[in-house]
Amino acid sequence: MELKVDSFRTRVHFDSTIALADGIDAAVVDASIAASAPIHGVDLSGLENRPTLEMQADEPAKQWENVARVLDLLLENGVARDGCLFGVGGGVLCDLAAFAASIYMRGIDCVLMPTTLLAMVDAAFGGKTGMNYGGYKNMVGTFHPARELLIQPDFLRSLPAHELHSGMGEVFKSALLMRGDLWELLRAHGRDLLQADRRDDREWQRVRPMWRDIIEQSLTVKGNIVAADFRESGQRAFLNLGHTYGHAAESVLGFGAVPHGTLVVWGIVRALHLGELLGITPTAYRQQVQDLASEMGYPLQITLPAGHSPEDLITAMRSDKKKRAGRVRFVLQRGPGETELRVVEEQLVLRSLESGVQLAARPATG
Ligand SMILES: NC(=O)c1ccc[n+]([C@@H]2O[C@H](COP(=O)([O-])OP(=O)(O)OC[C@H]3O[C@@H](n4cnc5c(N)ncnc54)[C@H](O)[C@@H]3O)[C@@H](O)[C@H]2O)c1
């Protein structure tokens, strides 16, 4: 599989125990991978003779100090302009490694081995790199697609359930963006995949081929969209389906309180409600999506912290980083694969939140 954009291309390999020693000059590895290695059993021994930096890579780590550590690794080991950095980890590590590779000597090659579901289906693929800056997520970044993407579904065996649910939220989104097999796969196996005991060898062998299929189909959807609009001047914004609501909820609930992908699915159902209010989305389609979300264990309602109201979600949406000419554009759908962007009246957005938001119970008085 290959994503080709402008002069860049990303080759995607499944289950390839890459000849790690070939063509890689340095590596940065998520420390949790080293710790969970016996569970997923992926062989990283080819890295033994390469300068390697192990890094605790969760969201707070996505900052300049860690980019500088990767740059130091490259510089101190004399990696040249034709060098290549290998990154192994979740979305944070992939974003950081690719960002460092993109600015070191004005850009060296990068190979990524994503280890979370979210990184496999989304973060490591498509060319966006980044770090958080000034208190804002992904405020600084570049476009720098990995040269190769190495997908090993076995990493999912050690992933905590909430991280798996979060990644599945992005799969859910991709399933709606393109008419095709992914939606049917999710309907048939989504719930089973989330509930199966991935640590049990037999169970894992049973579900592994389905995971592989789901990851490949998700990459195909994203690849098609990104290849058509690499720098997000048009339809790449469709990938934000559910994210305007999801990001607003993240900001009101507190970052990390509910996994990102869980709020994306909640946001997708809200966006379809909005489309319904506008007469764009058929009720039957919204209902079908809502039913699957619920069946897969995604909440259809969020509870706002005490003292907050749905208006706070609207306020948070106003500062959405993706707005154009000062206006927030909502990603709406007429059906699977039929997507459009619209600026919508805030009053209608508020109505779309009604059945999706609960207020915190007031403390009893007297
Ligand atoms: N560049 C893009 O296009 C793009 C797209 C989507 C998301 N992102 C970014 O991705 C990041 C989120 O990525 P994420 O959801 O992978 O979170 P993450 O990278 O923070 O990983 C979640 C946690 O799981 C651990 N982990 C990683 N692999 C593991 C494994 N196999 N087993 C057990 N633990 C493991 C990590 O150390 C971390 O603590 C965000 O910073 C987001 O901005 C980027």
Side-chain angles (χ1 to χ4, degrees):
M1 180 180 184
E2 187 169 282
L3 165 68
K4 194 167 174 295
V5 261
D6 305 335
S7 55
F8 300 115
R9 65 184 61 196
T10 296
R11 283 189 297 276
V12 181
H13 309 271
F14 278 84
D15 301 323
S16 131
T17 38
I18 183 185
L20 281 172
D22 293 343
I24 282 168
D25 298 282
V28 50
V29 180
D30 189 322
S32 70
I33 289 308
S36 56
I39 301 165
H40 48 65
V42 177
D43 180 14
L44 294 176
S45 57
L47 290 179
E48 270 160 14
N49 300 322
R50 296 284 171 269
T52 299
L53 176 67
E54 254 183 43
M55 184 186 282
Q56 188 66 44
D58 40 18
E59 198 60 38
K62 204 172 164 183
Q63 48 166 301
W64 175 253
E65 190 186 298
N66 282 324
V67 176
R69 288 174 69 203
V70 182
L71 297 176
D72 286 345
L73 174 82
L74 297 170
L75 194 59
E76 284 161 12
N77 289 285
V79 176
R81 176 70 188 86
D82 61 355
C84 179
L85 175 67
F86 185 47
V88 186
V92 165
L93 189 127
C94 290
D95 270 7
L96 272 182
F99 178 55
S102 77
I103 57 175
Y104 181 74
M105 294 195 175
R106 299 203 176 85
I108 61 169
D109 278 356
C110 169
V111 172
L112 295 177
M113 188 182 247
T115 61
T116 62
L117 179 59
L118 188 132
M120 290 179 198
V121 299
D122 194 2
F125 188 60
K128 284 189 183 177
T129 81
M131 60 169 218
N132 303 333
Y133 191 76
Y136 295 97
K137 247 180 89 66
N138 298 325
M139 189 45 89
V140 172
T142 53
F143 287 96
H144 191 69
R147 188 185 75 196
E148 326 258 347
L149 191 63
L150 309 178
I151 307 280
Q152 286 284 1
D154 302 288
F155 281 117
L156 300 183
R157 296 193 71 179
S158 57
L159 203 61
H162 67 276
E163 297 291 353
L164 197 75
H165 256 89
S166 187
M168 196 64 132
E170 298 292 352
V171 173
F172 193 98
K173 174 198 74 183
S174 296
L176 303 186
L177 288 178
M178 208 160 277
R179 200 182 276 279
D181 299 343
L182 189 52
W183 176 249
E184 291 312 322
L185 272 172
L186 272 192
R187 277 169 58 126
H189 307 298
R191 186 188 160 127
D192 178 27
L193 286 175
L194 288 173
Q195 290 180 347
D197 180 357
R198 286 163 283 127
R199 291 182 178 235
D200 179 86
D201 290 340
R202 282 181 62 171
E203 265 295 85
W204 177 245
Q205 288 315 319
R206 180 178 73 80
V207 295
R208 192 184 191 282
M210 294 185 251
W211 276 118
R212 199 202 131 120
D213 262 11
I214 280 197
I215 295 164
E216 188 164 2
Q217 299 268 352
S218 302
L219 288 172
T220 303
V221 173
K222 183 164 183 184
N224 283 333
I225 291 176
V226 171
D229 176 26
F230 185 49
R231 287 185 188 270
E232 198 168 330
S233 51
Q235 65 157 289
R236 186 166 183 164
F238 293 173
L239 293 169
N240 295 324
L241 176 63
H243 284 66
T244 306
Y245 287 91
H247 285 151
E250 250 170 346
S251 118
V252 172
L253 298 177
F255 189 80
V258 179
H260 171 77
T262 301
L263 291 175
V264 167
V265 176
W266 171 82
I268 289 172
V269 176
R270 288 305 102 208
L272 296 184
H273 265 285
L274 181 61
E276 212 177 339
L277 291 171
L278 286 160
I280 292 175
T281 308
T283 302
Y285 176 55
R286 191 263 305 151
Q287 190 66 50
Q288 193 186 26
V289 173
Q290 183 172 314
D291 288 348
L292 183 62
S294 177
E295 189 190 317
M296 287 173 68
Y298 290 102
L300 301 176
Q301 284 198 322
I302 55 168
T303 304
L304 298 183
H308 284 275
S309 70
E311 280 79 4
D312 294 326
L313 291 166
I314 303 283
T315 307
M317 283 177 191
R318 284 191 205 121
S319 51
D320 192 296
K321 197 161 51 116
K322 304 274 178 181
K323 65 188 176 190
R324 290 282 159 95
R327 313 195 71 180
V328 179
R329 295 177 308 160
F330 287 82
V331 186
L332 302 172
Q333 285 208 300
R334 292 181 186 278
E338 292 180 71
T339 311
E340 62 184 69
L341 294 168
R342 273 211 201 177
V343 173
V344 183
E345 293 260 330
E346 284 186 354
Q347 276 311 314
L348 216 52
V349 180
L350 204 53
R351 275 184 59 199
S352 74
L353 287 166
E354 274 166 13
S355 56
V357 170
Q358 270 185 335
L359 302 184
R362 280 170 177 274
T365 50

